[in-house]
């Protein structure tokens, strides 16, 4: 079995080709985010990858984890683009955050909690209590545990 793992963010895209259980080829290209990149730019990244690979392995599966792919529209857009380069492959497109979940779950049903450290830059003379209230409001909207004080982050 040969599969291609693609990890795409705004600044770079990493391609890892795995044949059997060994990494056969790695390539890093420009970043991809369907919210900000044109179809031509995204196709260029894939063309560069395909052009740099000199092997003859047929890709059975493509697992694409990318920024901007949480929406069905963008995931479908990326699946269509990838299928132009790997028409016979089974293609799965996921948000980049799902990569963490898949890596930690090890193929079993799991609950994965992702904590994001948020830093707020306040460009005025706000008091610490105002900043703490703002952080609390953001956490409330996101339905996550709110910090107790301004120093909680």
């Amino acid at each position: 079995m040969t599969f291609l793992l693609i990890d795409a963010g705004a600044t770079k895209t990493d391609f890892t080709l795995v044949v059997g259980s060994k990494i056969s080829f790695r390539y890093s290209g420009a970043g991809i985010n369907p919210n900000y990149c044109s179809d031509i730019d995204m196709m260029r990244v894939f063309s560069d990858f395909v052009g740099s690979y000199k092997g003859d392995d047929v890709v059975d599966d493509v697992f694409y984890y990318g920024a901007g792919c949480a929406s069905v529209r963008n995931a479908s857009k990326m699946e269509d683009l990838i299928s132009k380069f790997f028409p016979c492959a089974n293609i799965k497109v996921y948000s980049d955050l799902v990569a963490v979940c898949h890596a930690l779950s090890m193929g079993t049903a799991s609950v994965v909690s992702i904590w994001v450290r948020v830093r707020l830059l306040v460009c005025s003379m706000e008091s610490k209590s105002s900043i703490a209230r703002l952080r609390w409001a953001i956490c409330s909207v996101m339905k996550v545990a709110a910090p107790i004080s301004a120093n909680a982050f």
Side-chain angles (χ1 to χ4, degrees), residues 128-129 131-133 135-136 146-153:
K128 280 191 173 186
S129 63
I131 295 170
R133 282 194 303 271
R135 287 180 176 161
W136 181 87
I148 296 169
S149 71
N151 295 325
F153 275 90

Side-chain angles (χ1 to χ4, degrees), residues 60-95:
D60 299 310
D61 297 291
V62 176
F63 299 97
Y64 181 91
Y65 296 94
C69 289
S71 73
V72 172
R73 183 178 66 91
N74 283 349
S76 294
K77 182 179 191 176
M78 290 310 303
E79 186 174 342
D80 290 345
L81 186 142
I82 294 167
S83 69
K84 291 178 177 146
F85 293 91
F86 305 99
C88 296
N90 178 33
I91 300 167
K92 298 287 185 186
V93 176
Y94 302 99
S95 166

Side-chain angles (χ1 to χ4, degrees), residues 135-148:
R135 287 180 176 161
W136 181 87
I138 291 170
C139 290
S140 295
V141 168
M142 295 172 56
K143 295 184 176 25
V144 296
I148 296 169

Side-chain angles (χ1 to χ4, degrees), residues 30-60:
I32 296 175
N33 184 327
N35 288 318
Y36 305 108
C37 296
S38 70
D39 290 354
I40 292 170
D41 289 340
M42 292 188 291
M43 289 189 72
R44 186 176 300 121
V45 174
F46 278 89
S47 292
D48 291 347
F49 163 72
V50 170
S52 69
Y53 181 63
K54 304 302 180 206
D56 58 0
D57 296 299
V58 175
V59 176
D60 299 310

